[in-house]
Amino acid sequence: MGAPVSAAVAALRPDLVRRLILVAGWAHTDGDEYLRNLFALWKQLGTCDPAAFGRSVAMTGFSRRFLNAIGREQVELLIPNMPPTPGTLRHVDLDTRIDIRALLPRIAAQTLVIGAALDITVPVENSRALHAAIAMSTYAEIDAGHVAFFEKEDEFVKLVDEFTLAR
């Protein structure tokens, strides 16, 4: 939920934000049946099956290619590291109500939108739509899942460095 929150801050408090980087984000959940159902599934699993919650989050957070590359042992180690804490469940509940579309045209900060081409959590067309809605934003895409900064750390850091160090 970092992208929607950061975008809202940039729109509502432009005095605080000179540069903005939105990664694997979305502008609204209402009307997107995929997102609505994914978040509903997480809410249900989080209250009744913590292990299944962790497995679902791992499966959607990382690309299939990445999970296959790290192998079963490492994948199994990811699952308990994604528990459905009360804070996480509040986060998921808020995910179901995101709608910042009206705020996007107000963003004045220099903005880089990074999409994750293999994102199963928030499909990449959502990042492309953010880019289209923010005037004079730039767009880059990484061939990774939702947690692109983890899967493709060097590529991610290079994009961020180039954007933040540019004059």
Side-chain angles (χ1 to χ4, degrees):
M1 188 171 28
V5 170
S6 299
V9 170
L12 297 171
R13 291 295 310 268
D15 57 307
L16 298 177
V17 182
R18 287 183 305 117
R19 291 185 190 218
L20 176 64
I21 301 172
L22 303 175
V23 181
W26 78 104
H28 64 97
T29 306
D30 186 43
D32 187 321
E33 286 304 303
Y34 176 84
L35 289 178
R36 186 186 69 79
N37 278 285
L38 178 63
F39 298 146
L41 175 65
W42 285 355
K43 283 172 67 172
Q44 184 176 358
L45 291 175
T47 59
C48 69
D49 192 339
F53 175 88
R55 190 170 302 281
S56 178
V57 170
M59 286 175 49
T60 61
F62 299 98
S63 70
R64 180 177 179 213
R65 179 181 356 175
F66 178 79
L67 293 173
N68 286 334
I70 66 172
R72 180 177 294 175
E73 185 176 315
Q74 292 300 310
V75 169
E76 292 302 319
L77 291 173
L78 288 173
I79 295 160
N81 290 315
M82 300 181 191
T85 65
T88 299
L89 294 177
R90 284 192 306 274
H91 173 144
V92 172
D93 181 59
L94 185 54
D95 286 341
T96 67
R97 294 176 279 134
I98 292 294
D99 191 346
I100 59 165
R101 290 175 285 190
L103 297 176
L104 297 176
R106 296 173 55 180
I107 295 175
Q110 187 178 359
T111 303
L112 169 63
V113 178
I114 301 174
L118 305 176
D119 194 342
I120 299 168
T121 302
V122 180
V124 70
E125 59 264 22
N126 291 280
S127 291
R128 294 174 187 150
L130 279 176
H131 165 58
I134 300 171
M136 299 190 317
S137 63
T138 56
Y139 182 78
E141 202 163 287
I142 297 177
D143 193 33
H146 189 70
V147 193
F149 60 87
F150 190 86
E151 284 189 41
K152 299 278 184 135
E153 179 183 357
D154 293 341
E155 187 176 342
F156 182 84
V157 169
K158 182 176 186 263
L159 284 171
V160 170
D161 280 350
E162 288 173 355
F163 178 73
T164 57
L165 299 174
R167 294 274 176 222

